[in-house]
Amino acid sequence: MNNSVDKKTIKKGLLPWLIILIVILGIGYYYNMTNGDVHDFTYDEFMKKLDDEKISEIEITTRGSGYVYIAEGKLSNYKEEESFKVILPLSDEVMKRIVDASDAQDFELTVKPDPESSEWLAVLINFLPITILIVFAFWFFNRQMAGNKSSLDFGKSRARLDNDSNKVTFKDVAGLKEEKEEVKELIDFLKNPKKFQKLGARIPKGVLLFGPPGTGKTLLAKAVAGEADVPFYFISGSDFVELFVGVGASRVRDMFKEAKRNAPCLIFIDEIDAVGRQRGSGIGGGHDEREQTLNQLLTEMDGFGANEGIIIIAATNRPDVLDPALLRPGRFDRQVTVNLPDIKGREEILAVHAKNKILADDVTLPNLAKRTPGFSGADLENLLNEAALLAVRRDKSEITMSEVDEATDRVLMGPAKVSHKYTENDRRLVAFHEAGHAVIGLKLKSASDVQKVTIIPRGSAGGYNMMVPNEEKMCSTKTDLIEEITGLLGGRSAEEIVFGEITTGAHNDFEKATKIARAMVTEYGMSDLGPLQFEQQSGSVFLGRDYNKPQHFSNEVANEIDMEMRKIINECHKKAKDIINKNKDLLNLIAETLLEYETLTKEQIDYLVEHKKMPDEDDSNLESLSITRLKEMAKEKGVKNYSKMSKAELLKELDN
């Protein structure tokens, strides 16, 4: 089948060239047939032939603007295809001599006028260049105008109509059950507005979707339009903002004009905080182009009627920076929080993205959903995609748990730095540091479960400890936060106890612990200062937004806040050291095993804690083997310099 297709393709490719070759040969043959053998004579040769009465016919044409004659003809002894050609000077004497010879010898004489002497041809020759120049200039300027059409239409709306044939519906949106319920009545209104008008109900003019990045805000907006089967216009907030004053406002007006023409319809404005930020914010305030655009947007939303069939859905990650006028009733009447998915939502999202992927039996979606708290829908999609890419790279026919684990690490921390060379002292430091975190996680009741411990460097970390909550909670207790801080300080505590020295490896742990301790004192009222809130979470979105922010407590209270934070941290540090001192054997066991295996999973840690040793090694799974066993296999295979290789290098050599 493939051979026949290839032959047909070759024939189709050769056919045009064959036709061209035939045409060229035909033209050449015609040229030879019409011209035959042409002999070029000089003036003297021609005159001698004329005097010798050897000419049988001759045709004379004036050329070169009348300065010469072109004479063509035949001699009496020529064959049918033979002829001669000669250039003669333009003079009455030459012409008289030829005419006299024709009368005397009775050969055929034909005189033709110069073809270039035609009046139409002269006009064409004189005016054709000018005409071509004018046509070219017209074409060039017309093309330039077409190319700059967008610059002339900079006041037009940039909203684009989504004509995708594969419309998104609620079936494609997983894990957002409550959010879909909130927007369902918008679909009913777009499908049957008279039902609402009959009872005098006013449907929300605008719906604001806000939440962390990647949670599915844009997907939810597309699903609303897909379910209602109405035109879906989408635009980014940054598309309104331009250098020229008034352009953004003009685009807003044009967008609503177009929407009214196609009502009922849905307008989706993504990242609305680009144009909808608070007016007059920052040092000096100001009334720039962005604020004019916002004013026009407010006017348009407040201006069109309640039942015109236009609904605006906007999305943002920062609702706290939006102008209050946008959020009042009559504009964005309804605000829907699109949160990170819970464990059930993550399982549903994973099921959607796993439809076209081949998963091994050891990969179960409920288990994977449990291992990924805090992941957004975009993170989960990226996780499965990274796992699929790794499986292809490793020449596997299905995605196993090994690829999923590696993909999870990549999403959280970045790719492993397998070429990074540790000194033996650094490896021991990192191993005991991570083992300290693991011991605290294993011994504290409210602490998170230890899912994975590794001393393979990723990103800026020399190793890391993956811990997930036992169960997902809406609120954290004081005990939960205290134990979380204690777990973060487990690495530093292990360094102090084992090596009698401290390193810079715990700087990220301190950052997280300090942030939690300060929030406990200043926001959550979890200290001896009582149930008071001294600070609020806020981000400096604008230059100078909080530049002159008043401090609602005295310097004495500020000092007490610092003392309370120090008290919490010190108590947690002492508690971490006590736990590690009581469980030194477990610390050493986990650390020494990490030095041997580099990575331990939850199942391996649980087996290690119960049996004080690792499970029997299975040579068919190289990644689960210890470095010692891998070196033995490398020696048997004849790998050079195997004794100096890391585990990643050994795995690479053995795979080859």
Side-chain angles (χ1 to χ4, degrees):
M1 182 66 181
N2 292 334
N3 292 334
S4 62
V5 172
D6 292 340
K7 289 180 180 178
K8 290 180 180 179
T9 305
I10 293 173
K11 288 180 180 179
K12 288 182 180 179
L14 292 176
L15 185 60
W17 296 104
L18 184 61
I19 293 174
I20 292 173
L21 180 61
I22 293 172
V23 171
I24 292 174
L25 293 175
I27 293 173
Y29 178 76
Y30 175 78
Y31 179 80
N32 291 329
M33 289 296 293
T34 54
N35 292 325
D37 296 331
V38 180
H39 303 278
D40 291 326
F41 287 170
T42 63
Y43 174 76
D44 293 336
E45 289 175 341
F46 172 74
M47 286 303 175
K48 189 175 185 305
K49 299 291 184 183
L50 187 66
D51 294 340
D52 294 343
E53 300 182 358
K54 292 184 178 182
I55 295 177
S56 61
E57 63 179 64
I58 188 171
E59 181 181 286
I60 298 176
T61 308
T62 57
R63 295 286 173 87
S65 301
Y67 295 112
V68 295
Y69 288 129
I70 303 296
E72 297 176 345
K74 291 187 176 184
L75 300 182
S76 56
N77 60 346
Y78 275 5
K79 297 179 181 179
E80 185 178 353
E81 65 273 9
E82 285 187 286
S83 64
F84 69 83
K85 183 177 181 180
V86 62
I87 299 176
L88 305 173
L90 183 67
S91 67
D92 294 339
E93 183 181 352
V94 172
M95 194 64 187
K96 183 176 181 302
R97 189 172 176 180
I98 295 173
V99 172
D100 292 344
S102 173
D103 293 340
Q105 301 173 20
D106 194 24
F107 61 79
E108 184 180 353
L109 173 64
T110 306
V111 179
K112 290 185 178 181
D114 185 3
E116 296 181 0
S117 64
S118 171
E119 294 182 1
W120 286 106
L121 186 61
V123 171
L124 185 64
I125 292 174
N126 290 327
F127 290 99
L128 183 61
I130 299 175
T131 304
I132 293 175
L133 184 62
I134 293 173
V135 170
F136 175 76
F138 178 78
W139 171 81
F140 179 77
F141 285 111
N142 189 44
R143 184 176 179 182
Q144 289 295 105
M145 293 293 289
N148 295 329
K149 186 177 180 181
S150 59
S151 63
L152 298 177
D153 294 339
F154 54 78
K156 297 293 185 181
S157 170
R158 297 291 178 89
R160 299 172 295 279
L161 180 63
D162 186 9
N163 293 319
D164 189 3
S165 57
N166 299 321
K167 289 189 176 181
V168 178
T169 63
F170 280 165
K171 293 180 180 179
D172 304 305
V173 183
L176 297 176
K177 183 177 180 181
E178 291 77 12
E179 290 81 354
K180 287 188 284 190
E181 290 293 333
E182 284 290 319
V183 296
K184 269 188 177 180
E185 65 184 27
L186 301 180
I187 301 171
D188 294 338
F189 171 74
L190 291 170
K191 285 184 175 180
N192 187 14
K194 292 183 179 179
K195 180 173 69 172
F196 293 85
Q197 296 171 3
K198 183 178 180 181
L199 295 178
R202 181 182 64 82
I203 202 69
K205 294 182 180 180
V207 177
L208 179 66
L209 305 176
F210 60 88
T215 50
K217 299 182 289 295
T218 303
L219 189 66
L220 184 61
K222 285 186 176 181
V224 173
E227 290 285 342
D229 195 21
V230 296
F232 178 71
Y233 291 91
F234 60 96
I235 188 172
S236 172
S238 59
D239 287 335
F240 292 111
V241 183
E242 278 287 352
L243 174 65
F244 306 105
V245 177
V247 173
S250 175
R251 289 177 179 173
V252 172
R253 288 191 295 269
D254 190 65
M255 180 181 70
F256 279 94
K257 181 180 178 181
E258 182 72 16
K260 291 175 185 177
R261 192 181 301 124
N262 294 278
C265 67
L266 190 147
I267 300 175
F268 176 63
I269 305 176
D270 198 10
E271 306 297 343
I272 194 174
D273 52 281
V275 70
R277 292 187 178 184
Q278 296 178 14
R279 291 167 288 183
S281 300
I283 298 176
H287 188 74
D288 57 6
E289 159 66 4
R290 178 184 55 77
E291 293 186 6
Q292 289 193 27
T293 307
L294 174 59
N295 291 338
Q296 186 63 46
L297 180 62
L298 295 173
T299 302
E300 291 289 343
M301 289 191 69
D302 203 32
F304 64 84
N307 295 314
E308 288 193 7
I310 302 174
I311 292 179
I312 301 178
I313 297 181
T316 181
N317 305 324
R318 295 299 305 272
D320 56 306
V321 305
L322 296 180
D323 194 278
L326 266 178
L327 306 179
R328 75 159 176 81
R331 288 178 179 140
F332 283 104
D333 305 77
R334 183 168 300 174
Q335 300 173 27
V336 180
T337 304
V338 185
N339 283 320
L340 294 170
D342 56 12
I343 185 170
K344 184 178 179 182
R346 292 195 297 273
E347 185 178 345
E348 294 175 359
I349 294 171
L350 287 168
V352 171
H353 295 302
K355 285 181 179 178
N356 61 339
K357 295 177 176 62
I358 303 174
L359 302 179
D361 295 335
D362 61 340
V363 180
T364 59
L365 297 185
N367 184 36
L368 187 55
K370 185 179 180 181
R371 293 160 58 95
T372 52
F375 276 50
S376 65
D379 291 332
L380 295 171
E381 189 275 336
N382 187 37
L383 170 64
L384 289 180
N385 185 62
E386 286 288 342
L389 292 175
L390 285 169
V392 173
R393 196 178 305 166
R394 295 173 178 177
D395 294 327
K396 293 187 176 181
S397 59
E398 57 185 6
I399 303 171
T400 66
M401 202 63 199
S402 174
E403 285 76 46
V404 173
D405 283 336
E406 175 66 18
T408 305
D409 296 341
R410 282 172 171 263
V411 172
L412 291 175
M413 304 291 293
K417 296 182 178 180
V418 294
S419 61
H420 185 77
K421 297 298 182 183
Y422 267 140
T423 65
E424 189 59 31
N425 186 48
D426 286 341
R427 289 186 79 244
R428 291 189 64 82
L429 275 171
V430 174
F432 277 94
H433 180 100
E434 300 304 332
H437 288 304
V439 169
I440 301 296
L442 291 169
K443 294 301 177 181
L444 286 181
K445 191 174 182 180
S446 298
S448 301
D449 283 340
V450 180
Q451 292 290 328
K452 186 176 184 180
V453 185
T454 180
I455 59 173
I456 298 175
R458 290 180 183 271
S460 60
Y464 76 98
N465 196 315
M466 182 189 295
M467 304 176 73
V468 300
N470 295 318
E471 55 184 9
E472 297 185 29
K473 303 177 182 178
M474 292 294 294
C475 298
S476 297
T477 64
K478 182 178 179 179
T479 302
D480 294 336
L481 297 177
I482 290 292
E483 295 196 352
E484 186 174 352
I485 296 174
T486 305
L488 289 168
L489 298 177
R492 166 58 66 85
S493 302
E495 292 175 9
E496 293 175 334
I497 292 172
V498 177
F499 300 99
E501 185 62 273
I502 56 178
T503 69
T504 60
H507 71 282
N508 189 41
D509 298 332
F510 295 157
E511 179 184 350
K512 295 177 181 178
T514 304
K515 185 177 180 181
I516 296 172
R518 186 167 190 86
M520 290 176 64
V521 177
T522 61
E523 297 179 35
Y524 307 146
M526 295 180 178
S527 70
D528 293 339
L529 295 181
L532 297 174
Q533 188 176 61
F534 300 102
E535 294 177 356
Q536 294 180 347
Q537 292 183 357
S538 62
S540 298
V541 182
F542 309 105
L543 177 64
R545 174 181 174 181
D546 299 319
Y547 192 77
N548 293 319
K549 181 180 178 180
Q551 182 172 298
H552 299 294
F553 48 85
S554 64
N555 292 332
E556 289 78 7
V557 174
N559 184 52
E560 291 183 28
I561 291 174
D562 294 339
M563 293 176 63
E564 287 294 324
M565 288 175 56
R566 190 177 297 112
K567 178 182 176 182
I568 292 174
I569 296 294
N570 289 338
E571 288 178 354
C572 291
H573 188 198
K574 182 179 180 301
K575 185 176 182 180
K577 293 177 71 173
D578 291 341
I579 294 173
I580 290 176
N581 277 319
K582 293 178 181 177
N583 297 276
K584 275 189 177 181
D585 293 340
L586 180 59
L587 176 73
N588 292 326
L589 178 62
I590 295 176
E592 294 297 336
T593 308
L594 273 174
L595 289 170
E596 186 69 15
Y597 287 82
E598 291 190 343
T599 300
L600 298 176
T601 63
K602 175 177 172 52
E603 293 75 15
Q604 290 174 324
I605 293 172
D606 291 341
Y607 189 93
L608 183 65
V609 172
E610 183 178 354
H611 299 89
K612 308 303 179 186
K613 66 174 185 176
M614 288 290 287
D616 293 335
E617 296 183 342
D618 180 9
D619 288 352
S620 62
N621 186 5
L622 296 178
E623 294 179 2
S624 65
L625 299 180
S626 65
I627 293 179
T628 302
R629 178 56 185 150
L630 290 174
K631 288 182 177 179
E632 291 175 356
M633 296 175 69
K635 182 180 179 180
E636 294 171 0
K637 192 176 179 181
V639 177
K640 296 181 180 180
N641 298 323
Y642 66 90
S643 60
K644 298 180 180 180
M645 291 183 179
S646 65
K647 184 174 182 179
E649 292 169 334
L650 289 168
L651 288 171
K652 185 176 180 181
E653 289 293 333
L654 292 172
D655 282 338
N656 295 333

